[in-house]
Amino acid sequence: MKKEVLFFMFLTVLVSFKPINKIDKLINKEVKKVFVIDNFTTESIKIQEGLSKELPIKITDDNFKKINNNGENLGYYYHGKAFGKVDYFDFLVIFNSNLVIKKVKILVYREDRGGEISSKRWLKQFVGKKTDNSLTYGQDIAGISGATISAKSITFQMERLLQTISKLHHKKII
């Protein structure tokens, strides 16, 4: 009987731990680099269902988080997906506490072509952008040869993200 109880307790503890997946590891690594910190905590942003329907991008408990360190709000991050020519790719946007973009990184690119959008040099165009900035491919964001579809896609998603963040800020949610 004791062995069964111990086994059940062990199994319960084991199942309760959420394993950190590859994407989470990449996000943690980038947050630590951007804010030059070793440890941080995250907090989900709760969005009421009525407001959620008004937002250009759906915000969930998993894709948009507040970043804290020793009780101080350092900023926020958004983990999104955009569609390339035939498949989705994952990207990360890190904002400072003033909602200015600090970093954009392609986390996972799943296609054979178009990976040029992962270039730090090209992604640097988004750094410093604020919620009141407009992002139009070919005007505000330079095109990139060999990755036109993916570059247009992430630019469109970034524009929608800035609109979403702006609404959340104006509603005093962030």
Side-chain angles (χ1 to χ4, degrees):
M1 182 74 168
K2 276 186 175 180
K3 288 182 183 179
E4 290 148 348
V5 171
L6 286 173
F7 177 73
F8 180 73
M9 287 173 48
F10 173 74
L11 191 58
T12 303
V13 169
L14 187 64
V15 171
S16 67
F17 286 110
K18 179 184 172 191
I20 296 179
N21 66 30
K22 180 183 175 184
I23 299 273
D24 290 336
K25 286 181 182 177
L26 290 170
I27 291 171
N28 288 342
K29 178 181 171 187
E30 292 304 319
V31 168
K32 287 177 181 180
K33 269 202 278 187
V34 166
F35 293 109
V36 192
I37 54 174
D38 291 325
N39 297 306
F40 65 94
T41 58
T42 60
E43 197 179 313
S44 295
I45 308 296
K46 302 293 180 194
I47 309 295
Q48 296 173 344
E49 192 170 324
L51 175 60
S52 183
K53 293 177 183 177
E54 295 177 26
L55 300 175
I57 287 186
K58 183 176 181 180
I59 298 297
T60 67
D61 290 345
D62 295 328
N63 72 357
F64 187 66
K65 305 256 185 176
K66 181 177 179 181
I67 304 164
N68 298 309
N69 180 264
N70 296 325
E72 178 188 358
N73 173 15
L74 299 178
Y76 303 85
Y77 77 75
Y78 172 77
H79 165 225
K81 293 182 183 286
F83 199 74
K85 188 172 183 177
V86 296
D87 204 353
Y88 285 94
F89 57 91
D90 291 75
F91 66 96
L92 173 69
V93 182
I94 299 175
F95 295 88
N96 67 14
S97 59
N98 294 321
L99 304 175
V100 177
I101 295 175
K102 297 271 292 174
K103 183 162 191 173
V104 177
K105 179 160 179 98
I106 304 301
L107 298 172
V108 179
Y109 194 80
R110 296 175 181 88
E111 297 194 45
D112 294 335
R113 298 189 180 186
E116 294 88 349
I117 66 161
S118 298
S119 154
K120 289 179 186 177
R121 184 171 165 241
W122 188 78
L123 290 170
K124 226 182 237 187
Q125 296 178 87
F126 296 103
V127 174
K129 300 294 185 189
K130 302 174 187 172
T131 57
D132 59 349
N133 288 127
S134 175
L135 300 177
T136 304
Y137 181 79
Q139 292 177 357
D140 308 299
I141 301 298
I144 186 166
S145 180
T148 304
I149 294 170
S150 296
K152 283 182 178 180
S153 181
I154 193 169
T155 302
F156 178 69
Q157 291 300 320
M158 293 293 293
E159 170 72 15
R160 293 177 65 216
L161 176 60
L162 290 176
Q163 291 169 0
T164 299
I165 300 300
S166 178
K167 282 188 178 199
L168 294 175
H169 182 66
H170 283 61
K171 299 269 186 185
K172 301 192 185 313
I173 295 170
I174 57 173

